[in-house]
């Protein structure tokens, strides 16, 4: 029995290569029998893959958002012009101007701009018609009308409408033919038409929820902060700092943060458009500003360096933290944009712990070998760098709760 078993085993070992060869032949034949995709289909799949990759990139996200805003603004302007022509209004371009000016990224932001536009138009039209009725059309009445409308708008705290009111009053003073009141009423109606066209497009043709816009804005801000962080870390580790690029990037970040602040206001007013549990956690409003402030502190620290050498002892740990932080920033940008609710960052925690342990060891053992100013600069930089990592961990932890 034992010999037979050994023989069987030997036979199996001899058959195995042959079996594998036959299986490979079957798989190859199956592949040959599969219908080959036409070259046009392969090209389409390749183009779609390239498009999808580009659309997910920071540059693609920004350009798509800009193109969407530009397209719906163009549609609103065309709609206002067509309606004004159908109604045979004398100056349809005022409706077009209003539609372009008040168009925002969401219906809520458009409504906010529209209210300011209406207030400015009302103050300017009434003020211009009143001055024109009393004093006619001349340089002094023009100056008086602009002064009165801008002054009253500012006194009444309609600061964003102040210049517009002066502009409308000047138009009434300079362009009315028979009755300044009728002319002012016509400009008000055209403004209302432009505002209505913008609201219609933003609400029904290209609807955009505040929550989605906020997520896109936060993702854009995180991508820009990652680029800023990388430039600062390059300056810290190599001494090379690209100031013109950094300054341009700062303006972009400030613009993103200002836009996110306006969107947060709409969220707080209950205009998010999604249930509260699906909204972005409100702690993000604070945390993303803290990230910005921390990276600015890191920048100020490296700009104050003066041939510091203590940094070299920990450059491998700083490099590791930098790599994991940039990965975390981009991962958070993708997560918040795609409504992801779980984002573990174990490598970031590991790199922070190892670097902190090494820093504490050096603090105890080597602190007196270097000038106190150099040590203060380094520890300010390092602990601020650590705070950036901790803020990112907190942001990742709040993805799942609205």
């Amino acid at each position: 029995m034992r010999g037979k078993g050994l023989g069987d085993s030997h036979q199996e070992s001899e058959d195995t290569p042959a079996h594998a060869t036959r299986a490979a032949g079957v798989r190859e034949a199956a592949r040959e029998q599969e219908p080959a995709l036409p070259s046009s289909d392969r090209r389409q799949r390749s183009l779609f893959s390239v498009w999808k990759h580009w659309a997910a990139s920071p540059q693609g996200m920004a350009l798509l958002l800009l193109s969407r805003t530009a397209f719906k603004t163009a549609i609103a302007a065309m709609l206002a012009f067509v309606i004004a022509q159908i109604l045979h209004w004398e100056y349809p371009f005022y409706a077009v101007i209003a539609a372009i000016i008040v168009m925002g990224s969401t219906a809520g932001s458009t409504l906010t701009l529209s209210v300011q536009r209406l207030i400015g138009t009302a103050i300017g039209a009434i003020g211009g018609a009143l001055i024109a009725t009393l004093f006619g059309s001349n340089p002094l009445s023009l100056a008086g009308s602009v002064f009165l409308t801008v002054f009253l708008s500012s006194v009444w705290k309609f600061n964003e409408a102040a210049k517009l009111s002066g502009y409308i009053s000047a138009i009434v003073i300079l362009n009315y033919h028979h009755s300044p009141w009728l002319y002012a009423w016509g400009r008000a109606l055209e403004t209302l038409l432009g505002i209505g066209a913008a609201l219609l497009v933003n609400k029904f043709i290209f609807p955009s929820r505040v929550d989605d816009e906020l997520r896109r804005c936060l993702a854009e801000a995180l991508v820009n902060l990652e680029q800023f962080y990388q430039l600062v870390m390059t300056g810290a580790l190599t001494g090379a700092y690209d100031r013109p690029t950094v300054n341009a990037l700062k303006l972009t970040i400030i613009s993103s943060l200002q836009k996110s602040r306006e969107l947060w206001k709409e969220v707080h007013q209950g205009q998010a458009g999604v249930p509260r549990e699906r909204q972005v956690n409100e702690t993000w409003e604070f945390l993303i500003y803290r990230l910005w402030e921390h990276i600015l502190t890191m920048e100020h620290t490296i700009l104050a360096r003066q041939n510091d050498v203590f940094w070299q002892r920990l450059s491998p740990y700083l490099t590791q933290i930098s790599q994991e932080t940039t990965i975390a920033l981009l991962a958070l940008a993708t997560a918040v944009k795609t409504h992801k609710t779980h984002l573990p960052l174990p490598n970031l925690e590991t790199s922070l712990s190892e670097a902190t342990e090494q820093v504490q060891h050096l603090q105890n053992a080597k602190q007196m070998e270097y000038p106190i100013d150099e040590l203060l600069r380094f520890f300010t930089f390092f602990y601020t760098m650590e705070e950036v990592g901790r803020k990112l961990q907190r942001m990742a932890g709040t993805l799942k709760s609205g």
Side-chain angles (χ1 to χ4, degrees):
M1 295 294 292
R2 182 178 299 176
K4 185 177 179 180
L6 289 172
D8 291 343
S9 176
H10 179 69
Q11 182 67 34
E12 288 174 6
S13 65
E14 290 179 347
D15 290 344
T16 299
H19 178 73
T21 303
R22 286 195 300 272
V26 171
R27 287 193 297 270
E28 184 65 29
R31 281 196 297 268
E32 291 177 358
Q33 292 176 3
E34 290 178 356
L37 287 173
S39 59
S40 60
D41 289 349
R42 288 198 299 270
R43 283 196 299 271
Q44 287 178 358
R45 287 191 176 187
S46 177
L47 289 173
F48 178 75
S49 178
V50 171
W51 162 260
K52 187 176 180 180
H53 178 74
W54 175 81
S57 67
Q59 296 81 5
M61 289 166 53
L63 285 176
L64 286 174
L65 183 59
L66 290 175
S67 63
R68 185 176 186 274
T69 302
F71 185 67
K72 66 182 183 180
T73 302
I75 295 298
M78 181 184 69
L79 181 62
F81 180 72
V82 170
I83 295 175
Q85 281 196 318
I86 292 174
L87 296 174
H88 301 290
W89 284 0
E90 187 176 4
Y91 301 105
F93 62 88
Y94 286 118
V96 173
I97 292 172
I100 294 172
I101 290 177
V102 303
M103 178 61 73
S105 58
T106 65
S109 60
T110 300
L111 183 60
T112 300
L113 293 171
S114 299
V115 170
Q116 292 294 323
R117 177 83 184 181
L118 280 174
I119 292 172
T121 300
I123 295 174
I126 295 172
L130 180 62
I131 297 296
T133 301
L134 295 175
F135 303 105
S137 177
N138 56 70
L140 288 177
S141 64
L142 172 66
S145 175
V146 172
F147 169 78
L148 179 65
T149 52
V150 172
F151 176 74
L152 290 177
S153 298
S154 301
V155 169
W156 294 334
K157 307 300 182 184
F158 301 127
N159 297 322
E160 296 181 11
K163 291 182 179 180
L164 177 62
S165 65
Y167 162 72
I168 295 295
S169 70
I171 288 177
V172 173
I173 291 286
L174 297 175
N175 288 340
Y176 82 92
H177 300 295
H178 303 293
S179 169
W181 292 102
L182 289 177
Y183 187 86
W185 175 245
R187 302 299 73 74
L189 288 178
E190 288 152 359
T191 298
L192 280 172
L193 173 59
I195 290 172
L199 288 172
L200 179 66
V201 169
N202 231 340
K203 186 70 174 178
F204 298 106
I205 301 178
F206 293 99
S208 181
R209 296 184 309 194
V210 176
D211 183 73
D212 292 334
E213 287 296 323
L214 177 59
R215 288 177 179 276
R216 278 193 285 266
C217 185
L218 292 173
E220 180 183 350
L222 286 169
V223 169
N224 291 328
L225 286 171
E226 183 270 337
Q227 295 176 0
F228 184 26
Y229 182 88
Q230 275 197 339
L231 290 169
V232 170
M233 288 306 304
T234 299
L237 297 172
T238 67
Y241 197 54
D242 190 351
R243 293 292 292 274
T245 301
V246 170
N247 291 335
L249 189 58
K250 284 181 180 179
L251 294 177
T252 304
I253 294 171
I254 291 171
S255 176
S256 295
L257 293 177
Q258 289 175 340
K259 182 179 178 182
S260 69
R261 179 178 294 175
E262 295 300 319
L263 291 169
W264 278 114
K265 288 181 181 178
E266 294 185 44
V267 170
H268 297 326
Q269 292 168 1
Q271 302 177 23
V274 295
R276 185 174 181 81
E277 59 271 12
R278 293 191 58 206
Q279 296 176 17
V280 183
N281 192 292
E282 293 183 359
T283 57
W284 275 57
E285 183 178 7
F286 161 77
L287 292 173
I288 200 160
Y289 273 94
R290 293 299 290 161
L291 284 177
W292 165 240
E293 293 168 355
H294 288 330
I295 300 174
L296 284 175
T297 301
M298 291 168 60
E299 180 198 31
H300 295 159
T301 305
I302 66 167
L303 292 177
R305 286 175 57 180
Q306 301 175 354
N307 300 319
D308 295 352
V309 295
F310 181 74
W311 302 58
Q312 298 173 4
R313 285 181 166 273
L314 288 165
S315 59
Y317 297 95
L318 298 181
T319 302
Q320 182 63 29
I321 296 177
S322 173
Q323 292 173 350
E324 296 301 331
T325 300
T326 55
I327 291 172
L329 281 163
L330 295 178
L332 276 169
T334 302
V336 71
K337 185 174 183 290
T338 58
H339 295 254
K340 192 174 180 180
T341 59
H342 182 63
L343 182 65
L345 300 173
N347 294 335
L348 179 59
E349 175 60 34
T350 301
S351 62
L352 287 171
S353 299
E354 290 178 352
T356 301
E357 182 180 352
Q358 187 65 18
V359 166
Q360 290 174 348
H361 174 71
L362 288 176
Q363 275 184 296
N364 296 330
K366 302 291 184 181
Q367 181 171 327
M368 302 305 295
E369 295 183 4
Y370 299 91
I372 186 63
D373 289 346
E374 180 176 346
L375 293 173
L376 286 174
R377 282 191 293 269
F378 172 79
F379 288 120
T380 298
F381 182 88
F382 175 79
Y383 287 120
T384 306
M385 188 180 183
E386 183 184 29
E387 277 300 306
V388 170
R390 299 302 179 195
K391 294 295 186 298
L392 293 177
Q393 289 177 320
R394 188 175 173 188
M395 292 172 80
T398 57
L399 281 172
K400 59 181 177 298
S401 55

